[in-house]
């Protein structure tokens, strides 16, 4: 490959039944982003999925499409706003009622935004932190209560971000929330280990999808893409593949870790 030539993404690998027989709850799983890609990759790896999303119409469309492709027994969905404790509980109840088991939880829900710190309002800060950090806390708490009671172990995978480590203008609230997700992951892992439950996180740098493109300027996306050593952004399924790894037996000794999914220069 010549200098300056950017290679496209490789083909997405075929499934190998890495999650066969497991039931997974995935939040913010409708649409074209990381959550939607994770739902598809989990199904391709043999899992049963219960999807939550705050966008009820988009969730219905997603569940219907995946059910047609993978079978209605494999896919269920329930509207879920992770800032609402009752809705979080109902999502986990659905997984247990439908399948009698809960094995994997992917906390993907998050909220972004751009504002300079001096111009940021309390409402902007609270909205991002309540969804991104406190929402992950609510879902992790609900998951661990159920997994501890079942005594069968399980896995929690949280979606963090490289902004939990790195600085970017206008992202103080989001970066603080994602750094909190990393710390939550470490502490939850220590508490959960004695119950056979693993808790890890992924930290993507840049995975471009239509929803992100709508809320981010082309100039910023071009700037962020230029920082990637590969010269391109990740495909959402490339992040989902690492989530599959963390949910599978291939990562059986890992807990409390955050994996950077990035080609970004230091």
């Amino acid at each position: 490959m010549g200098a300056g030539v950017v290679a496209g993404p490789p083909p997405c690998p075929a499934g190998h039944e890495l999650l066969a027989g497991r039931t997974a709850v995935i939040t913010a799983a409708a649409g074209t982003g990381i959550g939607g890609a994770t739902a598809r990759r989990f199904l391709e790896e043999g899992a049963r999925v219960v999807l939550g999303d705050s966008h009820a119409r988009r969730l219905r469309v997603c569940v219907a499409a995946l059910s047609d492709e993978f079978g209605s027994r494999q896919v269920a969905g329930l509207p879920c706003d992770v800032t609402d404790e009752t809705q979080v509980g109902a999502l986990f109840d659905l997984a247990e009622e439908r399948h009698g088991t809960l094995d994997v939880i992917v906390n993907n829900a998050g909220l972004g935004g751009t504002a300079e710190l001096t111009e940021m309002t309390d409402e902007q800060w609270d909205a991002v932190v309540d969804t991104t950090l406190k929402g992950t806390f609510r879902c992790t708490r609900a998951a661990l209560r159920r997994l501890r009671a079942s005594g069968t172990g399980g896995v929690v995978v949280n979606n963090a971000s490289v902004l939990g480590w790195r600085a970017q203008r206008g992202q103080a609230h989001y970066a603080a929330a994602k750094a909190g997700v990393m710390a939550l992951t470490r502490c939850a892992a220590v508490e959960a280990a004695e119950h056979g439950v693993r808790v890890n996180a992924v930290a993507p740098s840049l995975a471009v999808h239509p929803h992100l493109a709508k809320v981010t300027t082309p100039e910023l996306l071009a700037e962020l893409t230029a920082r990637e050593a590969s010269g391109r952004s990740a495909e959402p399924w490339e992040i989902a593949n690492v989530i599959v790894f963390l949910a599978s037996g291939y990562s059986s000794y890992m807990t409390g870790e955050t994996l950077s999914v990035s080609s970004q220069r230091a």
Side-chain angles (χ1 to χ4, degrees):
M1 184 175 67
V5 178
V6 177
C12 184
H16 290 84
E17 296 293 303
L18 296 182
L19 303 175
R22 300 189 190 181
T23 298
V25 169
I26 308 171
T27 64
T32 57
I34 293 171
T38 300
R40 171 170 290 279
R41 291 298 292 131
F42 271 43
L43 287 163
E44 290 171 346
E45 293 292 350
R48 300 178 294 259
V49 299
V50 177
L51 312 181
D53 201 286
S54 60
H55 299 275
R57 184 196 61 80
R58 191 168 68 189
L59 179 63
R60 286 195 302 271
V61 172
C62 177
V63 169
L66 292 175
S67 295
D68 286 345
E69 186 172 352
F70 295 96
S72 59
R73 177 64 182 166
Q74 297 299 107
V75 188
L78 189 70
C80 179
D81 179 346
V82 298
T83 69
D84 186 317
E85 177 69 18
T86 300
Q87 293 186 36
V88 168
L91 181 65
F92 285 92
D93 288 344
L94 175 62
E96 292 186 318
E97 291 165 4
R98 186 178 177 94
H99 299 295
T101 183
L102 179 63
D103 304 295
V104 181
I105 298 86
V106 179
N107 290 317
N108 176 66
L111 180 67
T114 301
E116 293 282 317
L117 189 59
T118 53
E119 306 302 319
M120 189 180 296
T121 66
D122 284 7
E123 290 75 18
Q124 286 174 306
W125 176 277
D126 290 344
V128 169
V129 171
D130 196 21
T131 297
T132 305
L133 176 55
K134 198 171 180 180
T136 300
F137 153 71
R138 290 186 188 96
C139 292
T140 301
R141 179 177 61 187
L144 293 184
R145 286 173 174 171
R146 287 164 170 78
L147 292 174
R148 287 174 60 170
S150 72
T152 58
V155 180
V156 178
V157 184
N158 296 324
N159 192 358
S161 168
V162 294
L163 290 186
W165 293 308
R166 303 170 184 171
Q168 183 175 313
R169 290 183 68 103
Q171 295 296 310
H173 46 2
Y174 186 74
K178 289 299 190 180
V181 168
M182 294 177 180
L184 171 64
T185 297
R186 292 191 293 271
C187 293
V190 171
E191 296 181 13
E194 65 188 87
H195 302 283
V197 179
R198 299 187 296 111
V199 187
N200 291 294
V202 294
S205 56
L206 181 64
V208 174
H209 50 85
H211 177 68
L212 179 63
K214 288 179 182 178
V215 298
T216 309
T217 66
E219 293 77 16
L220 179 57
L221 287 178
E223 176 189 341
L224 295 176
T225 300
R227 297 180 188 175
E228 298 293 331
S230 61
R232 67 174 178 88
S233 64
E235 296 294 319
W237 61 260
E238 292 180 295
I239 312 301
N241 281 346
V242 181
I243 296 174
V244 167
F245 163 70
L246 290 175
S248 76
Y250 281 105
S251 60
S252 59
Y253 193 67
M254 290 181 63
T255 196
E257 298 295 333
T258 298
L259 288 185
S260 175
V261 191
S262 170
S263 72
Q264 208 162 9
R265 297 183 179 92

